[in-house]
Amino acid sequence: MQISELGAVGLGLRREMLDDILIDAPKQAQFFEVAPENWVRMGGKFGRQFKQLTEKHKFICHGLSLSLGSPAPLDVEFVKELKQFFDEHNILLYSEHLSYCSGTGHMYDLMPIPFTEQAVDHVAQRIRQVQDILQRRIAVENVSYYAAPGQEMSELEFTLAVLEKADCDLLLDVNNIYVNSINHGYDALAFLQAMPSDRVAYGHVAGHYEEAADLLVDTHGADVCDPVWQLLEQAYRLHGVFPTLLERDFNIPSMSELQSELGHIHAIQKPFIEHIKGVA
């Protein structure tokens, strides 16, 4: 399912933004993204408002709790609940993190999956199971991580192997590539270049916190920095223009400031789109 044929820009919808978007949705946003866990059982006023928005705008979902890398059994009933929710609200696309957040209990954090062949097989099987239940392809996100326990292969090798074995799509998080490249000392552009263009469903950009010169924390609580904007431009150069979404989870600024960042994405996309249209 496609968000747009060419160059859509999206905004991660947080509940704090709801009133503003109901009154006057930013024209710079062609689609919105929500965590389904925050809305799937929502009734009352918020439930009605969400239905009002999904009837008027394009929506996608980015999950938080599927726990694709967990050793615990997949929560099949939850996946079935998601399918019903997606059908009810005409959700165009579903993505999840290439991580896990549960074992014998829920950790309420996104933990790194060991970069091993065994983990590739385990995660790919779970992704295929989810896709079978949902009867749709899903996208998995390259995540930020701060340690790699039991590492037998690189993050790049692991990511590519999961995408191939699961036959799923990719949510290309440009900020995560930049954060990981600083924290783990690899070439962000080389990682970006190795991503399979035909699997990129859409992308994320966000801000982060600089704890130290060699330690960045993926917070989604700040403006997008210049190196990430530059890496996004390189992503379009390498993979073509793909739908791109701005994430902001806290320290949420005014809607006008968010619109400015959405406009920045449009400005980066514009020359590539004009070139494509000119060639056509």
Side-chain angles (χ1 to χ4, degrees):
M1 295 190 179
Q2 293 186 338
I3 302 164
S4 173
E5 290 300 320
L6 187 64
V9 174
L11 176 64
L13 174 64
R14 305 298 176 255
R15 206 167 295 167
E16 298 92 324
M17 306 174 189
L18 198 56
D19 288 340
D20 285 338
I21 291 175
L22 280 165
I23 294 169
D24 186 20
K27 296 178 176 58
Q28 295 89 341
Q30 283 78 54
F31 67 101
F32 296 96
E33 178 191 80
V34 294
E37 291 86 350
N38 294 335
W39 298 94
V40 69
R41 297 171 187 171
M42 182 67 69
K45 174 186 173 182
F46 286 131
R48 291 191 299 272
Q49 288 177 329
F50 184 67
K51 182 65 173 174
Q52 182 181 340
L53 284 173
T54 60
E55 287 176 346
K56 188 176 180 181
H57 303 283
K58 294 180 179 180
F59 269 79
I60 63 174
C61 281
H62 183 45
L64 298 171
S65 62
L66 200 54
S67 202
L68 289 171
S70 173
L74 183 72
D75 189 343
V76 172
E77 291 308 310
F78 173 63
V79 180
K80 290 179 179 178
E81 192 174 15
L82 287 179
K83 184 179 188 304
Q84 184 176 349
F85 177 78
F86 297 162
D87 291 343
E88 178 185 354
H89 292 284
N90 192 30
I91 301 300
L92 298 176
L93 191 151
Y94 174 52
S95 63
E96 249 289 0
H97 300 82
L98 192 52
S99 62
Y100 73 101
C101 58
S102 64
T104 55
H106 202 292
M107 291 174 282
Y108 300 99
D109 207 350
L110 298 171
M111 307 296 291
I113 301 170
F115 299 149
T116 67
E117 291 287 354
Q118 183 180 14
V120 169
D121 291 340
H122 176 70
V123 174
Q125 186 276 327
R126 287 165 74 88
I127 293 172
R128 290 195 302 269
Q129 184 181 0
V130 171
Q131 292 186 143
D132 287 345
I133 296 169
L134 293 178
Q135 296 179 306
R136 65 164 77 194
R137 293 173 70 87
I138 71 170
V140 293
E141 178 189 28
N142 57 293
V143 298
S144 57
Y145 66 101
Y146 305 94
Q151 184 170 358
E152 297 174 0
M153 56 204 303
S154 69
E155 177 198 352
L156 175 59
E157 292 168 333
F158 177 78
T159 303
L160 293 175
V162 169
L163 292 172
E164 181 66 26
K165 184 154 283 191
D167 190 22
C168 64
D169 291 328
L170 171 66
L171 162 48
L172 184 61
D173 193 305
V174 178
N175 181 63
N176 287 350
I177 294 176
Y178 178 72
V179 166
N180 290 346
S181 74
I182 298 298
N183 292 345
H184 303 289
Y186 66 67
D187 185 334
L189 187 58
F191 187 101
L192 182 63
Q193 190 166 12
M195 293 294 99
S197 300
D198 60 342
R199 292 193 185 273
V200 178
Y202 73 114
H204 274 175
V205 289
H208 54 259
Y209 175 70
E210 185 174 332
E211 183 76 28
D214 59 352
L215 178 58
L216 305 181
V217 182
D218 179 35
T219 60
H220 302 173
D223 295 344
V224 180
C225 69
D226 287 342
V228 172
W229 288 130
Q230 292 161 12
L231 199 60
L232 178 63
E233 183 177 358
Q234 291 297 329
Y236 294 151
R237 196 178 308 279
L238 290 165
H239 302 297
V241 179
F242 47 81
T244 305
L245 181 126
L246 174 68
E247 291 186 291
R248 190 67 176 253
D249 289 343
F250 72 100
N251 291 334
I252 297 174
S254 67
M255 188 56 63
S256 63
E257 291 178 77
L258 291 171
Q259 287 175 317
S260 177
E261 287 202 291
L262 294 172
H264 200 143
I265 300 173
H266 279 291
I268 296 173
Q269 290 181 345
K270 185 177 179 180
F272 296 99
I273 294 173
E274 288 178 345
H275 174 73
I276 293 168
K277 290 180 175 178
V279 171

